[in-house]
Amino acid sequence: QVQLVESGGGLAQAGESLRLSCAASGDIFTINRMGWYRQAPGKQRELVAYITSGGSTNYVDSVKGRFTISRDNAKNTVYLQMNSLEPEDTAVYYCNVYLIRIRSGVLSDYWGQGTQVTVSS
C-alpha cells in the first residue's frame, strides 16, 4: 500500500505564509512527479504546482512569485511554501504523487487526504 499524509494547512491572514507538507510511504520503488492541487468551494480542482524527479517546477499563473514547491527525495516528501497569501487562495489543498510501487512496477498516481487552507482579508 501507499499512503500520503498531508500537514500544514490552517488559517492565515492575507499577506501571511503557510507551508504544506506531504509525505509518501509504503512499498515505493521510485517517485516521479509530485504536485499540489487545490479545490475551492464551487470550483473545479486545479493544479497549483508540480515538481519533477529532476527538480523542474511548474506553477499556475496565479501563484507564480508567491508559492514555491520543493521536495526531499530522502524523505519522499513534497512541500509547498505559500507566501503573500490572498483570500483567493482559500481552498482544500491536495498533494498528488506519481510513483512506481515495488510490487506492481506500474506508474500510478496517488492523492493525499486534503488539507484546508483559509485566508482571511
Side-chain angles (χ1 to χ4, degrees), residues 22-90:
C22 174
S25 62
D27 64 331
I28 298 171
F29 176 66
T30 187
I31 296 179
N32 194 340
R33 195 180 93 170
M34 307 180 84
W36 290 94
Y37 286 73
R38 66 186 179 186
Q39 187 165 20
K43 295 186 177 181
Q44 289 187 332
R45 189 174 297 189
E46 68 168 351
L47 175 63
V48 177
Y50 69 80
I51 182 167
T52 68
S53 57
S56 297
T57 59
N58 190 57
Y59 299 90
V60 66
D61 286 345
S62 60
V63 307
K64 286 181 180 178
R66 300 188 298 120
F67 291 10
T68 302
I69 190 169
S70 61
R71 61 192 284 172
D72 184 333
N73 292 327
K75 297 181 179 180
N76 289 341
T77 299
V78 61
Y79 305 96
L80 186 68
Q81 178 66 43
M82 304 184 293
N83 298 331
S84 302
L85 283 163
E86 302 171 353
E88 293 74 22
D89 296 318
T90 295

